Amino acid sequence: MTVQLGDVAPDFTADTTEGTINFHSWKDGSWAVLFSHPKDFTPVCTTELGYTAKLRSEFAARNVKVIGLSCDSVEDHRAWSQDILDTQGISPNFPMIGDPDATVANLYGMIHPNANDTMTVRSVFVIGPDNLVKLMITYPASTGRNFDEVLRVVDSLQLTANHKVATPVNWQQGDDVIIVPALSNAEAAERFPGGWDEQKPYLRVVAQPTG
Ligand code: BEZ
């Protein structure tokens, strides 16, 4: 099965380090970041999970629940958590799915057999309150992800879900944004009474809306 943007995120029930979880019930109308790592007791993954734990308050401020996964057992996740605490100064403070038979990994297409036929790649799925898949990122095992970038795209997704804007290259929270091309100038004038910088008819730059 291939998951694509706009699809309903496949539901599942799985054992995790925080007990059995039904994904949609656990999510319960929040945003969610579901991410896979290739293997427990590996170095890059150890740094990624520690850093993600340190971002707990940032995710909570955005109403995002975080959940990890690899094709290891819950027992291994628990044992490895101590190593993460020892080396990163914090242990995972979000559930980690034990998926030794790759049921959830296969639901989400997290195993790319030509890269490795048993380990998950580094997938990130951002799922909206409506349970639809909003963003997918795939990194290879050898490259640790940038979880600050995950927060940045959550900011963009949440902003663009509420306003008729898109975010330009390298956008950061508070930067100017772009009025979506689908909005006519007359409609834009109602939404953005302070005006905008029309660099081209299709490139209308405006201050980031609030609220
Ligand atoms: C790592 O997390 O360091 C890693 C995991 C699987 C393959 C290669 C590296």
Side-chain angles (χ1 to χ4, degrees), residues 115-184:
N116 187 291
D117 58 6
T118 55
M119 295 191 303
T120 46
V121 292
R122 298 187 196 278
S123 295
V124 182
F125 293 86
V126 179
I127 299 156
D130 53 6
N131 288 345
L132 301 184
V133 176
K134 307 295 184 186
L135 177 103
M136 297 162 53
I137 308 176
T138 307
Y139 273 47
S142 53
T143 304
R145 287 158 288 195
N146 182 337
F147 280 83
D148 294 330
E149 168 65 2
V150 176
L151 286 176
R152 191 191 73 86
V153 293
V154 166
D155 284 342
S156 172
L157 290 167
Q158 294 185 341
L159 178 73
T160 59
N162 292 324
H163 299 277
K164 299 281 186 193
V165 298
T167 57
V169 61
N170 293 346
W171 175 85
Q172 298 283 346
Q173 187 69 267
D175 288 353
D176 287 350
V177 298
I178 292 168
I179 300 171
V180 294
L183 211 63
S184 69

Side-chain angles (χ1 to χ4, degrees), residues 38-39 42-46 119 122 141-142:
K39 193 92 193 119
T42 54
V44 176
C45 299
T46 299
M119 295 191 303
R122 298 187 196 278
S142 53

Side-chain angles (χ1 to χ4, degrees), residues 1-14 21-27 32 34 67 69 97 103-110 125-127 130-134 136:
M1 178 172 176
T2 308
V3 176
Q4 297 186 325
L5 297 189
D7 290 356
V8 174
D11 197 16
F12 58 83
T13 298
I21 280 179
N22 171 260
F23 184 55
H24 285 185
S25 303
W26 170 82
K27 222 181 128 280
L34 166 64
I67 188 163
L69 175 147
I97 299 165
T103 302
V104 180
N106 285 325
L107 258 185
Y108 278 82
M110 291 167 166
F125 293 86
V126 179
I127 299 156
D130 53 6
N131 288 345
L132 301 184
V133 176
K134 307 295 184 186
M136 297 162 53

Side-chain angles (χ1 to χ4, degrees), residues 49-51 53-55 81 84-93:
L49 270 75
Y51 193 79
K54 289 176 184 167
L55 293 179
S81 292
I84 297 171
L85 176 62
D86 292 346
T87 60
Q88 310 303 306
I90 190 167
S91 53
N93 46 26

